[in-house]
């Protein structure tokens, strides 16, 4: 079974803090993705990576950066958290067309 | 960019009634995927359709891809409480990323 894990289920941070969200997959997938999910807006792609040290912007990359130093790990970084980044963050990985999602991190920025 | 519109946003049905959600695009889709997200859970891949006019069934779920490959539907016959959740359609693009619809949230009266 594919397993995608995320470092935290719930996180509360203050405005201006630097936030790291970690994602690890155990199936040697090349592709990894970060989404945010907000009510009525579905899943919006922030960044994705198709190889180590490679990254591509998704639809809403502003205010975020990513790091992929190892194949199994994909990190999402909020350089200076803002209240409009309060959301559910979902990580996913894929080998081909089917994406496998982690449990999500609910981030609240106060 | 490419957008996949999904309707309705919400559907509330009596247990045992049928349910359908629709996905529409202004441009031709190369494929259509469907995911289910249970309340408090993460999206789980259900199926992918590729061919024009394709119909696939999974028990009480019937998935259709339109002849023009611009729309798709998911129909659930005789809903059960286990069907509760949000259903997303999505298109897998050649860049290994997926564009999601906004989802249809299904709730069921027992």
């Amino acid at each position: 079974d594919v397993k995608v894990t995320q470092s935290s289920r719930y996180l509360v941070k203050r405005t201006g803090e630097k936030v790291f969200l970690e994602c690890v997959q155990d199936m040697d997938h090349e592709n990894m993705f970060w989404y945010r999910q907000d009510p009525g807006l579905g899943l919006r792609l922030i960044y994705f990576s198709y190889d180590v040290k490679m990254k591509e912007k998704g639809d809403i990359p502003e205010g975020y950066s990513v790091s992929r130093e190892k194949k199994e790990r994909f990190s999402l970084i909020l350089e200076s958290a803002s209240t409009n980044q309060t959301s559910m963050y979902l990580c996913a990985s894929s080998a081909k067309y089917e994406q496998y999602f982690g449990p999500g991190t609910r981030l609240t920025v106060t | 960019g490419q957008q996949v519109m999904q309707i309705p946003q919400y559907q509330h049905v009596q247990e045992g009634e049928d349910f359908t959600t629709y996905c529409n695009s202004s441009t031709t889709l190369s494929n259509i995927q469907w995911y289910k997200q249970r309340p408090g859970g993460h999206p789980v891949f259900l199926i992918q359709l590729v061919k024009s006019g394709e119909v696939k069934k999974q028990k009480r779920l019937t998935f259709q891809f339109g002849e023009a490959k611009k729309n798709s539907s998911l129909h659930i016959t005789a809903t059960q409480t286990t069907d509760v959740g949000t259903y997303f359609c999505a298109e897998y693009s050649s860049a290994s990323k997926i564009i999601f619809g906004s989802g249809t949230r299904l709730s069921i009266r027992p």
Side-chain angles (χ1 to χ4, degrees), chain A residues 44-62:
Chain A
R44 293 181 292 167
L45 182 64
I46 305 171
Y47 267 97
F48 66 105
S49 168
Y50 51 85
D51 202 352
V52 175
K53 297 193 186 293
M54 303 297 288
K55 60 184 179 184
E56 293 283 344
K57 291 181 180 179
D59 300 317
I60 51 164
E62 295 77 21

Side-chain angles (χ1 to χ4, degrees), chain A residues 4-20:
Chain A
V4 181
T5 56
Q6 294 183 229
S7 49
S8 306
R9 286 285 273 157
Y10 300 93
L11 208 53
V12 180
K13 295 291 181 181
R14 292 188 183 273
T15 300
E17 276 193 84
K18 191 168 185 176
V19 181
F20 292 87

Side-chain angles (χ1 to χ4, degrees), chain B residues 15-28:
Chain B
E15 186 175 13
E17 289 182 343
D18 292 357
F19 159 77
T20 306
T21 172
Y22 301 90
C23 199
N24 297 293
S25 171
S26 57
T27 59
T28 302

Side-chain angles (χ1 to χ4, degrees), chain B residues 12-19 78-80 106-110:
Chain B
H12 187 59
V13 302
Q14 182 77 40
E15 186 175 13
E17 289 182 343
D18 292 357
F19 159 77
T79 54
Q80 299 174 0
L106 172 64
S107 58
I108 296 175
R109 293 188 297 275

Side-chain angles (χ1 to χ4, degrees), chain B residues 59-108:
Chain B
K59 298 183 180 178
R60 294 177 295 103
L61 278 61
T62 302
F63 305 85
Q64 290 190 307
F65 201 8
E67 292 289 344
K69 299 182 76 173
K70 289 186 175 182
N71 57 72
S72 179
S73 65
L74 159 58
H75 179 82
I76 303 178
T77 304
T79 54
Q80 299 174 0
T81 54
T82 52
D83 296 323
V84 163
T86 301
Y87 293 85
F88 293 97
C89 63
E91 182 192 21
Y92 170 76
S93 79
S94 59
S96 298
K97 64 177 188 176
I98 294 180
I99 299 164
F100 283 88
S102 53
T104 296
R105 188 195 295 181
L106 172 64
S107 58
I108 296 175

